[in-house]
């Protein structure tokens, strides 16, 4: 009799839990209905050219943080560790970002919505944060200790440069780089660009801007001495991630599951490759 009652209780428990599944799905859909409405409004501001792309992405991330209740994130760590070999080398914040990305992928799969933009933006946030903390922020600390006068880093010999390079130093990307020495704020696109100017195995002399500016030469020395190396194919992979997946996530329209899956395969190779190249970071 006791065994029969136990079986009935178990059956009742299963039925009660099963009856909750539609409610859980409705709750999930309600969250994502609100989220995607809000994200589309933010994306629309980008289409109207009222805000820059980076501002749109930041607002999308903040809005997702505010609306979605990220739960049981520890359960997603094992999935990440199954493909990412360097979990222990991640910054503390990145260990929060990556499970949130997987949570979003799993939740969007279980909802009635098909836009994987938040998933892509959360994983790109990890990549951006890791490059910033491990390379650029540490580089600024190094420069602050070595060069009290930062203008020396951007002096150049105009007699040895063509007008296009001079224009970039004075008014283009190198001017933006110079300004960051007062306030080190970098986007993923910024960092990819500056890394791409440094020497590599295919271009051992580096770019004309690298040859002209001590700032880029010091960045290259810092990476070689303190970080390791960043092969040119990985910098190219960052460019693909940014142009093909991250930036489109901030535009009107949906990022499909197939695109999200292709992104993840590219992302896995890139993250493992980067951390393998960071061989001087303990």
């Amino acid at each position: 009799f006791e065994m029969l009652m136990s079986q009935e209780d178990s059956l009742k428990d299963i039925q009660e839990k099963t009856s909750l599944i539609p409610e859980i799905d409705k709750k999930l859909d309600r969250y994502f209905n609100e989220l995607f409405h809000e994200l589309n409004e933010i994306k629309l501001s980008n289409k109207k050219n009222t805000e820059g792309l980076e501002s749109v992405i930041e607002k999308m991330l903040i809005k997702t943080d505010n609306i979605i209740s990220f739960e049981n994130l520890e359960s997603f760590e094992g999935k990440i560790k199954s493909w990412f070999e360097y979990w222990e080398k991640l910054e503390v914040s990145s260990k929060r970002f990556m499970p949130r990305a997987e949570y979003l992928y799993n939740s969007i799969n279980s909802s009635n919505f098909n836009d994987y933009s938040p998933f892509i933006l959360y994983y790109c946030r990890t990549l951006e944060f890791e490059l910033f903390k491990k390379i650029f922020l540490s580089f600024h600390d190094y420069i602050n200790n070595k060069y009290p006068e930062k203008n020396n880093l951007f002096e150049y010999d105009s007699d040895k440069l063509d007008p296009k390079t001079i224009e970039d130093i004075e008014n283009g990307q190198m001017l933006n780089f110079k300004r960051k020495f007062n306030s080190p704020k970098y986007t993923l696109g910024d960092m990819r660009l500056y890394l791409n100017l440094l020497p590599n195995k295919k271009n051992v002399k580096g770019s004309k801007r690298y040859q002209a500016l001590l700032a880029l030469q010091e960045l290259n020395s810092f990476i070689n001495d303190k970080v390791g190396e960043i092969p040119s194919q990985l910098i190219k992979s960052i460019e693909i991630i940014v142009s093909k997946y991250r930036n489109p996530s901030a535009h009107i329209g949906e990022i499909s599951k197939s695109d999200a899956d292709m992104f993840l395969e590219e992302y896995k190779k890139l993250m493992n490759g980067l951390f393998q190249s960071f061989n001087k970071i303990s």
Side-chain angles (χ1 to χ4, degrees):
F1 177 76
E2 290 179 357
M3 182 179 296
L4 180 61
M5 288 296 294
S6 176
Q7 289 174 343
E8 288 178 351
D9 288 344
S10 297
L11 179 60
K12 184 180 179 181
D13 185 54
I14 291 170
Q15 289 171 337
E16 287 177 350
K17 289 180 178 178
T18 304
S19 69
L20 289 175
I21 292 176
E23 291 303 317
I24 292 172
D25 288 342
K26 288 178 183 177
K27 183 179 179 182
L28 191 64
D29 282 347
R30 188 166 65 250
Y31 280 138
F32 279 93
N33 184 36
E34 179 185 358
L35 175 64
F36 290 120
H37 172 74
E38 295 290 341
L39 294 187
N40 281 332
E41 288 296 312
I42 296 171
K43 290 181 180 184
L44 189 60
S45 70
N46 183 31
K47 186 177 180 181
K48 291 178 179 177
N49 295 318
T50 58
E51 295 189 72
L53 182 70
E54 297 302 326
S55 176
V56 168
I57 289 173
E58 183 62 24
K59 285 190 173 184
M60 289 175 69
L61 289 167
I62 291 171
K63 185 63 67 175
T64 304
D65 281 339
N66 290 340
I67 292 176
I68 300 300
S69 176
F70 292 99
E71 301 171 346
N72 301 318
L73 292 177
E74 297 83 2
S75 62
F76 294 98
E77 289 183 10
K79 183 177 181 180
I80 296 165
K81 291 175 182 177
S82 70
W83 62 262
F84 184 58
E85 303 170 21
Y86 304 94
W87 176 264
E88 297 308 321
K89 288 191 174 184
L90 284 172
E91 303 292 330
V92 173
S93 293
S94 295
K95 290 181 179 180
R96 295 195 296 267
F97 298 153
M98 292 182 83
R100 278 172 165 77
E102 288 295 338
Y103 177 94
L104 285 166
Y105 181 92
N106 187 70
S107 298
I108 294 169
N109 261 350
S110 303
S111 75
N112 288 326
F113 297 91
N114 301 306
D115 185 7
Y116 288 78
S117 297
F119 157 72
I120 287 175
L121 292 179
Y122 265 83
Y123 259 143
C124 286
R125 178 192 247 184
T126 303
L127 173 61
E128 186 172 51
F129 189 73
E130 289 294 321
L131 288 174
F132 176 66
K133 288 283 286 186
K134 286 183 166 56
I135 297 177
F136 287 88
L137 189 59
S138 298
F139 170 64
H140 278 271
D141 291 339
Y142 162 80
I143 288 295
N144 286 336
N145 291 327
K146 187 172 180 179
Y147 292 94
E149 179 51 63
K150 306 297 188 300
N151 286 332
N152 297 340
L153 295 163
F154 290 88
E155 292 179 351
Y156 63 93
D157 186 348
S158 59
D159 292 335
K160 296 181 179 180
L161 298 177
D162 59 78
K164 184 178 179 180
T165 304
I166 293 174
E167 175 64 19
D168 185 70
I169 293 172
E170 294 291 342
N171 300 302
Q173 286 294 339
M174 291 302 95
L175 177 60
N176 290 334
F177 189 34
K178 183 178 182 179
R179 287 170 175 163
K180 294 179 191 304
F181 281 77
N182 296 321
S183 178
K185 296 179 181 179
Y186 291 83
T187 68
L188 187 54
D190 289 335
M191 293 184 283
R192 195 280 311 170
L193 185 145
Y194 302 138
L195 292 173
N196 200 42
L197 298 174
L198 307 182
N200 55 58
K201 290 180 179 178
K202 293 183 178 179
N203 182 12
V204 294
K205 292 184 179 181
S207 65
K208 291 180 180 179
R209 283 166 282 184
Y210 168 80
Q211 294 170 37
L213 297 179
L214 182 58
L216 290 172
Q217 294 162 18
E218 283 285 11
L219 175 60
N220 187 58
S221 296
F222 175 81
I223 292 172
N224 290 334
D225 294 342
K226 305 296 184 182
V227 179
E229 64 171 345
I230 306 180
S232 58
Q233 68 267 26
L234 292 180
I235 299 172
K236 181 64 177 177
S237 294
I238 295 172
E239 181 182 3
I240 292 170
I241 288 288
V242 170
S243 63
K244 191 173 179 180
Y245 301 104
R246 179 182 182 265
N247 291 356
S249 293
H251 295 151
I252 290 292
E254 295 180 346
I255 300 295
S256 67
K257 183 177 185 299
S258 61
D259 285 339
D261 290 340
M262 286 189 290
F263 159 81
L264 186 56
E265 290 308 307
E266 292 270 0
Y267 186 84
K268 288 177 180 179
K269 290 185 287 187
L270 171 58
M271 287 294 285
N272 280 311
L274 272 178
F275 275 76
Q276 184 180 19
S277 71
F278 293 165
N279 53 44
K280 293 188 180 180
I281 298 177
S282 58

